[in-house]
Amino acid sequence: MTKQFSRTNLLLLAVLVLQLAALVAGAAFILARIDGLDQARRSREDSLTEEIRSNAEMLEAVVRTLHLDNEQTNEMRELLGLPPVRPSALNDLMQRADSDSGSTHPLTEAVQRLIQHRNHEDAREFLAGFVSSPGFAEALSGLDLRYSERSVTEGELTRNGTRFFRLQASADEVSVLPMTGTSRTFATANTSFQSYLERSSAEIETHLQALSRRRQEFSELPQQPQVRTALQERRITAHLAQGEQRSELELRNNYGETLHTLRFSYAEGTVRGFGSGTIGVAELAQKLPQFIQELDNRPQVEREVSRQRDKLVELLSEPSLAEQLQESGVRIETTPRTSQRHYLFDVIDLSRNRSIGALGLHRDDATLRLFDSEDVPIGPLPELQNHVLSTNSRMSPVTDITVSEGSRTFLLIGVHERIADVVMIAHANPGKQSISILSIPRDLFYRGRRVNAVYQVFGVDRLMRELKEITGLHIDDYIMVDMYAFIDVVDVVGGVTIELEEPLRDPNFVVRDEGRWTTLAYDAGTQELSGIEALRVARSRGTSSDFERSHRQQQIVEAVLHALREMSPNQLQQAARSVFRHLDSSLSPIAAVNHLLRYRDYTVERREGLDTSNVLYHTYSNLYFQGKAPDAEVDEDFDRGAWILLPINDDWNEVRNYVQSIILGVRS
């Protein structure tokens, strides 16, 4: 029984051995077949390549023959007085080859593309086999590395989302490029590959830890005592922005203009933007306070005008120019005198030793003009401006928003004690037969001051210019009215009717009506207002925000426009003569009436305002100057400064884009 069982086991074992041998033989046959197919594929590709090259040579010979035949045919046709035959597509192809002996024939280019495609496929297959091999998986398992494909011939190894290695495949090897250290190439994912990954991963981890410390040190630079003191003394703010590849530290003046940018590279661990080359964070920390002290923190316009003035002085100081001018009997002073808006370089008549005029450099925009002896402008100097001063100019003028042909923009200013308490822009669009009204908040902070103070300090021309820079809108005319004239304007049109969406209660606004003192109180709904009542509604802000107040002011302006539309031309002229005695405007009464008649059928399509619900954020001036967030924790005795409004991300383009959306009805 035992012997029979043993024989049975031996038979089963023999059968298993035979089956295993058959499997091995089958696998070997399959592998040999695959290798044979691959060799056959390569052989066919080589044959096809050779065949294409041979055909290209034959085709080139045919083309040359046709080209010669075409020339002979045209010679015969010329003798017969017939026009030449237009070359065929083959002749054009041949002419291209003849005209550029250094160029590659189109068929050769096709062959090269085929070869590149084959190499690309080989690299794809090799990388796929490399990363699917057991050795590759084993090498990654203990290093917490993950593989992801970037393309069919490239991949990367990451740890916790950070790329440690980049893999690039060719037809027979893979190049491994580490974040830091020396790259290597491998034909297989063997033990050498695993050892390389282990060693390089440890080096990269150490490198990343050092980078993290340096990155933190870079971000803390503005808080270092000496740096913070220098920033405060120079009224410069530091703004940190952190991205995926680098951190940037922008140094800005109190006009929000970038003076200098320092860039910390995560890959290098060094800072660029401080002199030539790179600098370490520790060395930068020592040199940054002095660097800040030496920065020119003036507005960009002033810096550019100063540069242009120095350039003009340098030009006027050239001996050759002085000789030419002397031959003409004049000299130009190289030390300018200063007027309200210009630097004036006097032109002296040598025979009389007195000024006959001057070259004027505008102090706001660096434009050049010619002046007579009484400082009256004669005209611009475009040739001198373009060929001498404007070269390499760093000024960046604001681009006007493109508006419909025939459009007109008006600035409406409500003034109280020389301060622009109400600022609105009204834009008439003939294309849409509509009017858009945009309120500018008085606390908007631009070029170091709130816009409501610009009129008080510089006047209406400067206010119009700065509003153009802020909004991108060219302003054609302005109308300025003080609070008492406002009362007369509303009364002249017979009062206004507005709709209050909510009750208006202001216990701090004391009024006297019919001999009785009380506080401001209006119910929600329709309200018919006289001039004094309209002024109260327009000025109240005790229980409402400035933005809500702007909304009421827009309602009153729209109501005044509506009342004016209802008047006849004669009534409009009488009203204009009466009203214009109480206001200041770039328009004459007749011009104002003409505009009212032209726009009387227009509808007020949009009533909007710049505020914190769209493109602005609020902070305090001293917090802003020191680069602190609006909600930053500060000492109890710290003066936060004035409440101000700024564009989101301190980007004035956001404001201009929003204004464009109001005027054109689209958001850029």
Side-chain angles (χ1 to χ4, degrees), residues 454-474:
V454 174
Y455 175 80
Q456 179 186 25
V457 178
F458 298 105
V460 68
D461 289 341
R462 177 68 170 266
L463 178 61
M464 291 175 66
R465 185 165 64 250
E466 292 200 1
L467 287 176
K468 175 185 175 180
E469 294 175 3
I470 291 171
T471 65
L473 273 176
H474 174 74

Side-chain angles (χ1 to χ4, degrees), residues 30 66 99-100 326 366 468 494 557:
I30 291 172
L66 290 175
S99 63
D100 187 2
Q326 190 170 7
K468 175 185 175 180
V557 170

Side-chain angles (χ1 to χ4, degrees), residues 411-611:
L411 174 61
L412 311 177
I413 314 167
V415 177
H416 176 53
E417 295 180 354
R418 290 286 300 166
I419 296 178
D421 203 41
V422 178
V423 179
M424 292 185 196
I425 292 175
H427 178 78
N429 186 340
K432 294 184 176 182
Q433 297 279 294
S434 66
I435 295 174
S436 300
I437 301 176
L438 177 70
S439 288
I440 308 295
R442 62 181 192 159
D443 295 315
L444 187 63
F445 200 69
Y446 186 70
R447 293 192 178 278
R449 60 174 51 85
R450 292 184 291 191
V451 295
N452 70 333
V454 174
Y455 175 80
Q456 179 186 25
V457 178
F458 298 105
V460 68
D461 289 341
R462 177 68 170 266
L463 178 61
M464 291 175 66
R465 185 165 64 250
E466 292 200 1
L467 287 176
K468 175 185 175 180
E469 294 175 3
I470 291 171
T471 65
L473 273 176
H474 174 74
I475 298 174
D476 298 289
D477 292 291
Y478 73 89
I479 299 174
M480 187 277 293
V481 57
D482 66 23
M483 58 183 293
Y484 301 108
F486 177 84
I487 297 173
D488 294 333
V489 170
V490 175
D491 286 337
V492 163
V493 299
V496 294
T497 301
I498 66 170
E499 191 77 18
L500 291 179
E501 298 173 359
E502 297 179 355
L504 179 60
R505 305 275 191 267
D506 190 345
N508 299 320
F509 201 122
V510 180
V511 299
R512 182 179 175 86
D513 283 329
E514 299 178 354
R516 185 170 59 90
W517 291 100
T518 183
T519 57
L520 185 70
Y522 289 96
D523 295 328
T526 303
Q527 299 290 340
E528 295 182 358
L529 306 175
S530 65
I532 186 64
E533 291 170 332
L535 179 64
R536 293 168 181 171
V537 171
R539 298 201 66 211
S540 171
R541 63 172 183 269
T543 56
S544 58
S545 68
D546 273 359
F547 306 132
E548 293 170 328
R549 188 174 72 141
S550 295
H551 178 70
R552 295 195 301 272
Q553 291 166 354
Q554 289 180 345
Q555 283 185 296
I556 294 172
V557 170
E558 183 178 356
V560 170
L561 291 175
H562 177 75
L564 291 171
R565 290 195 196 103
E566 300 300 317
M567 292 182 175
S568 66
N570 288 335
Q571 290 174 324
L572 278 176
Q573 290 180 11
Q574 293 176 4
R577 282 196 295 268
S578 175
V579 166
F580 267 70
R581 289 198 296 265
H582 305 288
L583 54 78
D584 177 33
S585 177
S586 59
L587 295 168
S588 67
I590 295 177
V593 170
N594 288 337
H595 285 311
L596 286 170
L597 291 173
R598 182 180 298 116
Y599 305 134
R600 69 185 308 164
D601 295 328
Y602 285 24
T603 58
V604 177
E605 182 183 49
R606 304 283 297 269
R607 284 194 282 108
E608 304 285 349
L610 302 179
D611 58 45

